[in-house]
Amino acid sequence: MATSGDSQIRDISGTIATGGTAQALTTAQQTRKGYSVQNLSSGKLYVNDVGGTAVSTEAGASITILPGALYESPRNQQPTRAISIIGATTSQAFAAREW
């Protein structure tokens, strides 16, 4: 992951605005090299980084992030499409960065 002194890092942390409804984590960006999301809540979060809408199932294109877990995009990928996130409960918190 990029270092904290890296001026390219952007904080995209937040909370789920409406439980059960996907929301934008970040927009499409051709210069993005990677991103990370840590689930700070007690429920699962789901992220879709292939341009679709995140869904709260363990099938399909969404990546499941368990409570307390950190997901970091693989170094050999450059996820440039829009990234969406969903959780079952309003106000589920997450820490997220993109670089």
Side-chain angles (χ1 to χ4, degrees), residues 4-94:
S4 60
D6 188 340
S7 62
Q8 301 288 337
I9 293 176
R10 188 167 81 93
D11 184 358
I12 53 173
S13 302
T15 60
I16 298 299
T18 303
T21 302
Q23 66 189 51
L25 179 62
T26 187
T27 60
Q29 295 183 34
Q30 293 302 311
T31 58
R32 183 185 304 120
K33 304 292 186 216
Y35 73 99
S36 65
V37 179
Q38 182 177 17
N39 184 348
L40 302 176
S41 73
S42 61
K44 295 177 185 177
L45 293 174
Y46 302 84
V47 174
N48 184 320
D49 62 4
V50 294
T53 301
V55 294
S56 56
T57 65
E58 302 201 7
S62 294
I63 298 163
T64 304
I65 306 175
L66 298 174
L70 172 73
Y71 173 78
E72 184 172 288
S73 59
R75 293 188 185 271
N76 63 343
Q77 295 179 6
Q78 189 171 354
T80 59
R81 295 181 179 176
I83 302 171
S84 63
I85 189 168
I86 190 172
T89 308
T90 299
S91 299
Q92 283 182 264
F94 55 88

